[in-house]
Amino acid sequence: MIDTPPSTLAAVPADGDADLPWLRAVAHRVQDSPGVFLAWLEEILGDEEAVRAAAKRSYWHPNGFAKMVLHTSPDFRIRLHVWPESTEPSRGESNPHSHRWEFASTIVAGEGLHMVEFHETADGGKPYDRYRYGADPANPAALLADGEARLEVEKTPHVRLGDVYSCDTAVVHTVRPIAAGLTATVVIQGPHRTGTTVVYCEPGESDDQPNGELTETDFRVLVGAVADAVASCR
């Protein structure tokens, strides 16, 4: 299928486990083989069924960027996160959160992303309401209240165009573009390692943050813009 990445980019791991070193290796291959990655994007855009399927499993994040799933399988996923052209930098994913899976990502368009990584602390820090995502079997997307917590900044890595960033399930972070304009990152996501993950909201902030529909037109426009950006950097 067109949405299956070229084997030179992301072959199924030999031992069947898409662990963090394997995810990082795939992210580096995206950087080392921009022509292969670009050709794959163009193949997807040229296939109406692939566009329809990818758009259906993608969405607009409530903070204004698109999460587009280019490939999905039991072993791994490849997502493209795109912050569209803008005059002001996006707020990105502003609620500190962790993930149920490991991932590695690489910037393919724009200046890059600013990360802030946190840890809970008994003293100092900033107060948050803590929620658990994935804890409700009847509604896996619901956020269930899990008490209060204080978070302290641990480090603030910047991931620039061409860099690779990796993250395991223990990391709590926020992500936002460094600059205005088109920013895109390719995320290589491994299998679920935990049943739930944590999301922190500032006190008084609503936990109701529904995703928005991403249309086939949105998908074509955004992936096309990323393809143009990749081509211009070759």
Side-chain angles (χ1 to χ4, degrees), residues 7 21 26 29 43 61 75 84 99 104 118 122 125 127 135 151 153 155 166 176 184 194 204-205 209 213 222 227:
S7 59
V26 175
R29 282 198 289 273
E43 281 188 82
H61 189 278
D75 302 292
H99 298 277
F118 303 84
L151 294 183
V153 173
K155 56 183 177 179
S166 58
R176 65 173 174 81
T194 63
E205 182 181 2
Q209 298 178 320
E213 179 186 5
L222 293 170

Side-chain angles (χ1 to χ4, degrees), residues 17-24 57 59 61 65 67-69 71-81 93 97-106 115 132-134 140 165-173 175 185-199 211:
D17 185 19
D19 59 11
L20 201 51
W22 185 87
L23 300 171
R24 285 186 58 84
R57 61 188 181 226
Y59 59 89
H61 189 278
F65 66 97
K67 285 191 174 184
M68 296 179 288
V69 183
H71 167 76
T72 181
S73 72
D75 302 292
F76 64 96
R77 286 187 169 200
I78 298 181
R79 303 204 313 258
L80 186 63
H81 293 185
E93 292 182 296
H97 60 279
S98 61
H99 298 277
R100 290 176 290 178
W101 25 261
E102 301 162 326
F103 74 88
S105 63
T106 186
M115 314 285 193
R132 285 283 167 185
Y133 179 89
Y165 173 80
S166 58
C167 184
D168 63 28
T169 59
V171 173
V172 172
H173 66 178
V175 181
T185 180
V186 178
V187 179
I188 319 299
Q189 174 189 325
H192 283 187
R193 303 295 191 191
T194 63
T196 66
T197 191
V198 67
V199 177
N211 298 323

